[in-house]
Amino acid sequence: MSLSRTIETPNIDDALAVARPPRKHVLDLDDFSREEISEVLESARSMKEVLGRDIKKVPALRGRVIVTLFYEASTRTRISFEEAGKVLSADVINMSASGSSAEKGESLLNTGLTIQAMGVDTIVIRHPHSGAPYLLAQHLNKVSIINAGDGLHAHPTQALLDLYTVQDKLGVGGQGSDSQGADSRGSDSRGSDSMEGLKVVIVGDVLHSRVARSNIWGFAKMGAKVVLSGPNTLMPPDLLRSKGNIARSQIASMVEVDTNLDRAIEGADVVMALRLQQERQNAGFLPSLREYIRRWQVTDDRLAKAKPKAMVMHPGPMNEGIEISNSIAHGGSSVIEEQVTNGVAVRMALLYKLTIGAPE
Amino acid sequence: MQERLIMTQEDVRRALARVAHEILERNRGTDDLIIVGIHTRGVYLARRLAANLMEFEGVEVPVATLDISFYRDDLRARAPSKIQPTDIPMGIQDKRVILVDDVLYTGRTVRAALDALVDFGRPAQVQLAILLDRGHRELPIRADYVGQNLPTAIGERVKVRLIETDGIDEVALVIDDEIEEEELFEDLDLEEDDDE
């Protein structure tokens, strides 16, 4: 009876957090503990200070090489990573599938091995197939992999920048730590990094949204309640059914579905509209676009039911007039531009974290 | 492991008072002066120097904070350290900057701090104030104001404790009995209190 399992681990995340070696990859938020998320967000705050300088450049990652490997179209994510790397003085090489040897049929793995052989330190990958970054992480032992969006699965850096934006707007998190000092912590910063009690409503095509999936993990781990709303056909059965990975995790109780947006949005602190991927319309997921707009568009009327200071987020690119009304998209409660700005800071924090203290 | 007390609370207070007077003397007052503390303990020492200047001259000298994480020359060698806020609201262009840290050792922290500073402008002058100079420089750097000089062996460690961070003001020399392997790591570890 020699059982290998000797440690009771009621909470897998806490157990992982204790003896975790320095992080090598960022593949999704499901293996981040609340502490690690907080650490990234705090570090992003320092990065934002750098972005506010006259000379936006620090030498931290001098001599490091980052490749952005994008098999899917992207403007903000790719540019955001490129800027993040360059502000930290890394050399950033952009590669997209079109125009590369992927067009000649080279496999993802061989492309990855080729890039690794060139002495690259970090690969930022976006790929239409869920799991592609994991394949690289498994087989490339000398580079760090950052998932910039894989299929329907995950988009962890987007979720982190969303978390950062919410913290920043609500004034939670370790702000003003200069005047308060690391030593005097504890009194008023109790739960400063948590989002306990917040209600986050994610609206729209959750089923096909990797942004939503990573955000569910992120917000729930930070203690927020996540309500998913949208047409039944676009709700994610795999996430909520008893066999889904969220249903089995300790965040299951933090996540619920309410297809009635007017009800779901009541008392919300954060309303996140997802892009309605138009190609889904013809695939039988929606009765009609008009009905979608009528029932699930984030509008002024609906937002009035949320908390007075509720913020509206959107990962972009937006279909204005479909999942979000024009007046909301550019209105006072929108933090959509802040999300973009914060994205650079958060990605800087991740690039820095993966490089510093990494094994040679 | 033993500790030898190098500076008591009174010693620290007197040293900081003297350094403040020296700053006034050398700069003939406080015009264009700005005090920049290097995280962590340098920041508290910078605030205390500013308080002294306030007391002696009745002038409020601005205090700024500097984190040098981005400018280190040994990034791979250490565990991730928390980046603390760099806050220089008044800028340093054409100012006389008093850079403040607790211990001066190899000089590498100061080298990094100088690099960090010039990203914020071109100061008229940079002067260095240090609570304790323990020798063993690896770079051509010296302090303009020194609280106390202390010749040390490389294997020894210096602990600077301040009320703000440690609840007490004192400087101690730590002598390890069974050094060796641990020491190898300590040398790399700027996060330890040996942190010059």
Side-chain angles (χ1 to χ4, degrees):
Chain A
M1 290 280 274
S2 61
L3 288 179
S4 56
R5 178 170 279 264
T6 52
I7 307 162
E8 296 280 335
T9 53
N11 186 337
I12 292 173
D13 286 352
D14 291 350
L16 282 176
V18 175
R20 185 183 284 124
R23 173 173 289 280
K24 189 163 179 220
H25 308 295
V26 177
L27 302 173
D28 194 3
L29 289 192
D30 57 0
D31 67 343
F32 274 69
S33 64
R34 182 186 282 196
E35 290 68 33
E36 197 177 10
I37 292 174
S38 300
E39 178 209 312
V40 171
L41 301 185
E42 200 176 323
S43 163
R45 201 149 284 144
S46 307
M47 300 299 173
K48 212 169 169 185
E49 179 268 313
V50 174
L51 291 172
R53 293 183 187 177
D54 283 344
I55 302 172
K56 291 189 267 293
K57 191 119 188 152
V58 293
L61 301 188
R62 220 162 17 144
R64 310 283 175 238
V65 182
I66 298 163
V67 168
T68 63
L69 178 58
F70 276 54
Y71 288 86
E72 245 184 38
S74 162
T75 33
R76 75 202 72 218
T77 305
R78 200 192 56 70
I79 292 174
S80 183
F81 267 110
E82 182 171 356
E83 186 183 352
K86 285 183 169 167
V87 171
L88 292 173
S89 297
D91 291 300
V92 184
I93 300 168
N94 294 311
M95 187 180 150
S96 54
S98 61
S100 75
S101 45
E103 282 191 338
K104 297 180 188 166
E106 186 175 54
S107 71
L108 173 61
L109 186 53
N110 282 337
T111 303
L113 288 168
T114 304
I115 294 172
Q116 172 172 263
M118 290 176 188
V120 165
D121 299 278
T122 306
I123 296 177
V124 177
I125 179 176
R126 165 166 291 188
H127 201 281
H129 291 167
S130 304
Y134 291 77
L135 180 82
L136 289 187
Q138 235 167 44
H139 291 94
L140 308 185
N141 49 13
K142 294 191 196 118
V143 293
S144 287
I145 307 294
I146 299 181
N147 183 358
D150 64 327
L152 308 181
H153 171 247
H155 195 347
T157 63
Q158 176 73 40
L160 285 167
L161 76 88
D162 290 340
L163 291 170
Y164 181 91
T165 304
V166 171
Q167 268 203 353
D168 199 43
K169 271 284 160 187
L170 295 177
V172 287
Q175 276 167 321
S177 53
D178 176 39
S179 53
Q180 303 189 213
D183 49 302
S184 60
R185 244 173 226 195
S187 52
D188 60 337
S189 65
R190 180 166 26 90
S192 69
D193 55 357
S194 89
M195 299 189 180
E196 224 74 63
L198 285 192
K199 180 176 180 184
V200 179
V201 180
I202 302 180
V203 189
D205 184 1
V206 179
L207 181 61
H208 299 101
S209 175
R210 55 194 176 208
V211 173
R213 263 161 238 264
S214 287
N215 264 312
I216 291 169
W217 281 106
F219 278 106
K221 284 210 178 179
M222 298 307 282
K225 185 176 159 196
V226 181
V227 181
L228 310 174
S229 190
N232 235 326
T233 46
L234 293 177
M235 292 293 103
D238 63 307
L239 289 189
L240 296 162
R241 236 177 240 154
S242 55
K243 280 186 188 165
N245 56 351
I246 288 197
R248 281 181 292 137
S249 75
Q250 85 283 7
I251 64 166
S253 62
M254 308 301 294
V255 187
E256 59 184 65
V257 171
D258 187 345
T259 52
N260 182 340
L261 179 57
D262 291 292
R263 193 169 54 210
I265 205 168
E266 278 173 22
D269 300 275
V270 178
V271 179
M272 183 184 298
L274 300 173
R275 184 168 73 92
L276 183 68
Q277 306 184 349
Q278 307 237 26
E279 56 272 24
R280 312 290 175 209
Q281 283 172 58
N282 304 325
F285 288 103
L286 296 175
S288 77
L289 195 56
R290 206 142 54 115
E291 181 179 339
Y292 182 87
I293 291 170
R294 192 163 49 77
R295 295 185 59 185
W296 290 288
Q297 186 182 75
V298 178
T299 60
D300 289 295
D301 286 348
R302 291 209 166 95
L303 193 63
K305 296 173 186 159
K307 289 243 179 81
K309 281 189 177 169
M311 67 187 93
V312 176
M313 313 183 87
H314 193 298
M318 281 187 279
N319 300 306
E320 280 182 42
I322 299 181
E323 69 263 10
I324 189 167
S325 72
N326 303 64
S327 62
I328 290 283
H330 302 285
S333 50
S334 160
V335 294
I336 296 168
E337 277 177 39
E338 279 99 318
Q339 286 176 275
V340 176
T341 310
N342 294 337
V344 180
V346 164
R347 288 171 179 124
M348 284 170 72
L350 289 172
L351 290 171
Y352 184 77
K353 176 178 166 67
L354 292 187
T355 309
I356 305 314
E360 286 290 344
Chain B
M1 200 172 75
Q2 311 169 306
E3 278 195 14
R4 203 175 88 221
L5 196 62
I6 305 299
M7 296 177 87
T8 63
Q9 182 156 357
E10 266 306 282
D11 293 335
V12 171
R13 188 188 61 74
R14 282 197 201 98
L16 290 175
R18 176 174 50 77
V19 167
H21 280 298
E22 285 176 12
I23 289 172
L24 288 172
E25 192 180 3
R26 173 137 165 204
N27 294 285
R28 303 205 167 113
T30 58
D31 291 348
D32 291 327
L33 227 52
I34 154 171
I35 307 182
V36 178
I38 302 175
H39 278 294
T40 307
R41 289 181 180 74
V43 170
Y44 300 110
L45 294 172
R47 291 196 185 129
R48 292 197 201 179
L49 283 174
N52 284 345
L53 293 176
M54 183 73 194
E55 186 185 331
F56 303 152
E57 294 287 292
V59 181
E60 192 171 344
V61 177
V63 176
T65 65
L66 193 65
D67 183 279
I68 56 130
S69 305
F70 295 131
Y71 299 86
R72 284 183 165 154
D73 57 8
D74 54 355
L75 287 176
R76 287 264 191 192
R78 67 189 61 256
S81 67
K82 222 177 87 185
I83 308 164
Q84 290 170 297
T86 292
D87 186 21
I88 312 186
M90 62 303 280
I92 58 163
Q93 188 69 35
D94 300 326
K95 296 281 169 62
R96 280 185 285 183
V97 173
I98 314 286
L99 198 58
V100 183
D101 203 2
D102 52 354
V103 180
L104 182 57
Y105 182 30
T106 60
R108 288 179 192 271
T109 300
V110 174
R111 196 279 311 159
L114 290 171
D115 276 1
L117 266 185
V118 298
D119 277 359
F120 291 89
R122 183 179 185 275
Q125 234 184 72
V126 181
Q127 302 165 14
L128 177 61
I130 287 291
L131 183 61
L132 189 92
D133 185 344
R134 61 166 295 193
H136 303 291
R137 219 74 78 234
E138 293 168 3
L139 294 170
I141 279 169
R142 56 150 183 79
D144 300 273
Y145 312 100
V146 179
Q148 186 171 334
N149 280 298
L150 179 73
T152 57
I154 288 184
E156 291 166 330
R157 283 182 294 155
V158 172
K159 275 208 181 293
V160 173
R161 300 191 178 99
L162 296 178
I163 287 173
E164 294 91 332
T165 48
D166 313 278
I168 185 172
D169 277 350
E170 65 176 26
V171 179
L173 188 65
V174 182
I175 302 130
D176 267 327
D177 304 326
E178 352 76 73
I179 321 167
E180 304 323 315
E181 76 221 286
E182 195 188 339
E183 219 31 76
L184 288 171
F185 292 106
E186 293 297 345
D187 266 0
L188 288 174
D189 192 359
L190 288 186
E191 281 318 295
E192 265 309 308
D193 307 8
D194 214 5
D195 76 310
E196 155 349 308

